[in-house]
Amino acid sequence: LDDDPSTQIAGELIELTLQAAKLAASVDLRELSSRLSAPPYYPEIWPGEHYKFLCALAQLLNPRCVIEIGTGRGLSALAMLQGLGAESLLYTFDTVEWENMKDGVLRESDFADGRLKFSTDDLSDPLLMSVYHSLLSQAELIFIDGPKNRVTETQILKNLETIPFIKPPLVVFDDIRLPNMVALWRSIRYPKFDATSLGHWSGTGLVRLKRAT
Ligand SMILES: C[S@@+](CC[C@H](N)C(=O)[O-])C[C@H]1O[C@@H](n2cnc3c(N)ncnc32)[C@H](O)[C@@H]1O
C-alpha cells in the first residue's frame, strides 16, 4: 500500500509467512477435526481457514508463551497447541466459559498437562490487562480473534502497548478484511503483513509489535 509505510518494512514477516505456509502444507489436524460432529471440518481446510497456518506458526516460532484472545470453540487454541513444545504455555481468554461454549471442542483433559490455561478475564479492560503484565511480557505469539466490534480489538492493542515485552511478540489478528476490522488494520503502524491468501479468507494479519523505525 503506497500510503502505508508499515507494509513496506515487513520483510521479516513475509519470510515468516512463507516458512509457515510451507510447513502448513504438511500439518495434519485430522485428530482435531475428529472432534467436530459434522462437516465442514474447518481444520482440514487450508488455505481459506487458518488452523494449519496457526499450527505452523506455533511450531516455527516455538514460543514459551502464547496468548490467545477469543477462545471460541477451542479450535485455534488446539491447533496452536499441537505445534507447541512440552515447555510452552498457551493462555487463552474468552468472556464465555469454555464449558458453556456452543459446539465447543475443548475437553477437561486438554488442560491436564498444564500447557493450556483458560480465563474469562477481559483483556480489553486495562485494569484486568494489568493483572497479567508479567505473563504477557513473556508472550512471543499473540492471536487476537475477539468480537470484532470496532472497539474491543482496538482497546486490546492499546493495552498491549503498555506491556514491557521481553521480545517483540508476533501479533496475529484474525478477520482483518472484515469491515469492522479494516480501520484498525489500516491504523497499525508497526511492521505488518497481510497474509490472508495463506491464512483465513476473512483476513489474517501479522504484526511485529515493536516501534516502526
Ligand atoms: C470468532 S470466536 C473465536 C474463534 C476461535 N479463535 C477459533 O478459531 O476457534 C470469537 C470469540 O471472542 C469471544 N470474545 C468476545 N469478547 C471477548 C473479549 N473481550 N475477550 C476475549 N474473548 C472475547 C467470543 O465469546 C467468541 O467466543
Side-chain angles (χ1 to χ4, degrees):
L1 301 175
D2 63 357
D3 63 342
D4 187 346
S6 297
T7 58
Q8 291 157 23
I9 46 176
E12 172 240 348
L13 298 177
I14 294 171
E15 185 56 38
L16 181 62
T17 300
L18 293 174
Q19 286 180 29
K22 266 192 175 168
L23 196 56
S26 59
V27 164
D28 183 351
L29 292 179
R30 277 176 293 183
E31 207 177 306
L32 179 55
S33 292
S34 73
R35 294 195 185 196
L36 299 171
S37 51
Y41 298 112
Y42 294 113
E44 301 296 302
I45 301 167
W46 179 81
E49 294 297 331
H50 50 181
Y51 300 103
K52 291 189 180 202
F53 187 71
L54 291 172
C55 180
L57 274 180
Q59 206 174 315
L60 265 178
L61 298 172
N62 193 23
R64 291 294 282 253
C65 178
V66 181
I67 301 293
E68 176 181 64
I69 299 175
T71 315
R73 302 169 69 186
L75 289 171
S76 47
L78 292 180
M80 289 188 282
L81 201 63
Q82 182 170 315
L84 294 177
E87 305 298 319
S88 299
L89 169 70
L90 194 165
Y91 215 124
T92 182
F93 294 81
D94 202 294
T95 46
V96 177
E97 288 282 0
W98 67 267
E99 293 100 327
N100 300 335
M101 192 62 69
K102 188 175 177 290
D103 297 326
V105 301
L106 289 174
R107 299 169 182 161
E108 200 67 61
S109 57
D110 294 323
F111 299 88
D113 66 7
R115 292 193 311 146
L116 180 64
K117 293 200 184 301
F118 173 87
S119 168
T120 53
D121 286 340
D122 182 349
L123 297 187
S124 68
D125 177 337
L127 271 179
L128 282 176
M129 175 77 87
S130 68
V131 172
Y132 292 92
H133 259 216
S134 164
L135 172 80
L136 288 163
S137 68
Q138 298 167 54
E140 293 168 64
L141 173 61
I142 301 174
F143 178 51
I144 301 183
D145 188 9
K148 274 80 73 170
N149 57 7
R150 291 180 189 257
V151 179
T152 304
E153 280 76 9
T154 304
Q155 188 59 49
I156 288 169
L157 179 58
K158 210 170 152 193
N159 295 347
L160 285 175
E161 287 172 325
T162 67
I163 303 294
F165 291 105
I166 294 167
K167 284 206 290 194
L170 178 75
V171 182
V172 180
F173 283 92
D174 191 26
D175 295 330
I176 59 166
R177 299 276 184 104
L178 295 186
N180 273 0
M181 287 292 285
V182 170
L184 170 61
W185 177 251
R186 296 272 290 144
S187 74
I188 291 173
R189 286 293 175 266
Y190 301 102
K192 65 183 180 185
F193 182 60
D194 181 339
T196 301
S197 298
L198 294 163
H200 198 185
W201 62 268
S202 52
T204 296
L206 271 52
V207 177
R208 181 62 70 188
L209 196 50
K210 63 180 178 190
R211 286 278 157 218
T213 50

